[in-house]
Amino acid sequence: YYFVSFMRGLTTGVASTSAFFIAQRAGVAQSLLVASRGLGLTLAPFFLSERIGRMVWSGEAQSGFALCLILKTIAMLMIPRSDGAPALYTCFFVVGVAIALLDTSATVCVSRVHGKNAGFPLLLYCAAYGIGSVAAPWTVIALGESAWNALAVVDFSVAALLAFNRKVRGKPRNWKAKIRGLTAGGAAGAPP
């Protein structure tokens, strides 16, 4: 989860930093690129929060993370290859949706697994995001618009690893106890 948070910060920073260059190249408004991503960040948790809760509750967080990373990968690969406003706005929106779903899912997982002791893990989660955000401008300076390709390769690799791990190992050990708060003789609460 911490690496995904780092990548989320890196992606957010790359989107903000490279939006100027993309806007100049494609002749679109930089503010609308950033707003498209922001719209995705805002709407996804609002409309999909129940699905996120059910995904975590059923022990499918790895599968959900892999799916979000694949969606994000496709959008990130299209950004440096797109010149039209509709395509770019859609890609930035999809990146925003994927980032919001990853963030919300990870926060729910960390909170459910650690319960009352979630403060420090969530602090580390936010710190990983901050480090990614700090690294983003230097990534764009070093790689230019190819930074999107580099992010896509890393996200796809993580998605493939998660999907492979889920396929080979199945659900994580003790996932019901961790997510649902089961005890040896206790019953699970109701799903969200």
Side-chain angles (χ1 to χ4, degrees), residues 36-130:
S36 296
R37 189 197 74 220
L39 189 63
L41 285 165
T42 304
L43 294 179
F46 181 76
F47 286 109
L48 299 173
S49 61
E50 185 177 328
R51 298 259 183 214
I52 291 168
R54 290 196 184 280
M55 176 190 68
V56 171
W57 187 258
S58 67
E60 293 296 339
Q62 287 181 339
S63 302
F65 267 62
L67 178 62
C68 289
L69 288 168
I70 292 297
L71 290 174
K72 189 173 158 225
T73 296
I74 292 167
M76 290 188 303
L77 285 172
M78 290 179 63
I79 288 172
R81 293 160 180 79
S82 299
D83 285 327
L88 285 168
Y89 296 147
T90 301
C91 290
F92 271 74
F93 177 80
V94 170
V95 167
V97 167
I99 289 172
L101 293 176
L102 288 166
D103 184 39
T104 306
S105 301
T107 301
V108 169
C109 283
V110 169
S111 298
R112 293 293 301 182
V113 168
H114 294 285
K116 293 178 184 176
N117 299 320
F120 186 69
L122 287 172
L123 178 71
L124 293 176
Y125 183 74
C126 290
Y129 172 83

